[in-house]
Amino acid sequence: MASRLPTTFRQFGVATRALVVFTIGLGVIYPLAMTGAAQALFNDNANGSVVQVHGKDVGSDLIGQAYTKQATKDGKPEVDADGEPVMVADPLWFQTRPSAVDYDAMGSAASQLGPNNADLLAAVQERRKAVADLEGVNPSQVPPDAVTASGSGLDPQISPAYAALQINRVARERGLDVAKVNQLVEDNTQGRTFGFLGEPRVNVVTLNNDLAALK
């Protein structure tokens, strides 16, 4: 037994030193180096792609938001049977596509409803009518992305067609020139990734932030 103790102590010492070295190297130095590189090279992305209005953080250009207000009935705020506020689209803002998770990043998911699901079809028809009423157009003019959620439920982008449908309404409600609003839409339109992946899209979060920044 006595002859084995020195060997055991040596092995213990080697293991302890290895633990310290790897803890410092991989648990401290490596994370600090990666954090420093991310801050230096990709500062905006590393900090969550935060967008600001008048110096105040208002969201991320990667996560959609709901632009709503409480509905009124007979001049009073409307509530449902449970006493919860009834929310409707706020005409002052460009609207995003529906979200199965109310843009809660903690629960990113699709509805998992198939294209022939009766509940989904009813929801689509209801959304189509609501969008048509809001924009003052025929339901046949409502683009598909205005009535269907994205796979993640978080995407802040809409199609250029849906953005164009909303320009007149936003300009009218805000008392802005249509050409000015159209220019804002163009400024927030992204082309296909690498020129061939996906479709052109308009980031509603950055677009509405530009609207909010207008005097």
Side-chain angles (χ1 to χ4, degrees), residues 16-90:
T16 301
R17 290 194 295 272
L19 175 63
V20 172
V21 169
F22 282 110
T23 298
I24 295 175
L26 300 179
V28 178
I29 297 176
Y30 178 77
L32 288 177
M34 291 299 99
T35 300
Q39 290 293 329
L41 301 176
F42 310 102
N43 182 266
D44 181 61
N45 303 78
N47 290 302
S49 301
V50 175
V51 291
Q52 296 183 328
V53 174
H54 303 306
K56 180 180 179 181
D57 295 344
V58 295
S60 167
D61 64 18
L62 301 175
I63 306 288
Q65 299 181 31
Y67 297 91
T68 58
K69 66 176 184 177
Q70 187 171 4
T72 58
K73 187 175 183 179
D74 299 327
K76 298 179 180 179
E78 188 175 356
V79 297
D80 60 21
D82 297 322
E84 297 295 326
V86 175
M87 307 304 292
V88 295
D90 190 335

Side-chain angles (χ1 to χ4, degrees), residues 178-201:
V178 171
K180 174 64 175 177
V181 179
N182 185 67
Q183 184 61 53
L184 289 179
V185 170
E186 292 183 4
D187 292 343
N188 288 277
T189 299
Q190 303 164 309
R192 291 181 173 88
T193 303
F194 303 126
F196 67 95
L197 293 177
E199 295 294 332
R201 60 269 191 197

Side-chain angles (χ1 to χ4, degrees), residues 51-54 56 58-61 63-68 89-97 103 135 155-158 162-163 166-167 169-171 174 176 181 183-189 202-215:
V51 291
Q52 296 183 328
V53 174
H54 303 306
K56 180 180 179 181
V58 295
S60 167
D61 64 18
I63 306 288
Q65 299 181 31
Y67 297 91
T68 58
D90 190 335
L92 289 172
W93 304 100
F94 280 89
Q95 296 299 309
T96 51
R97 61 191 303 172
Y103 295 106
E135 308 301 344
D155 292 342
Q157 297 95 350
I158 59 175
Y162 188 25
Q166 303 183 62
I167 289 175
R169 184 252 304 161
V170 171
R174 289 180 170 269
L176 296 172
V181 179
Q183 184 61 53
L184 289 179
V185 170
E186 292 183 4
D187 292 343
N188 288 277
T189 299
V202 181
N203 191 309
V204 177
V205 172
T206 58
L207 173 57
N208 280 339
N209 287 346
D210 287 349
L211 277 174
L214 293 177
K215 294 183 180 179

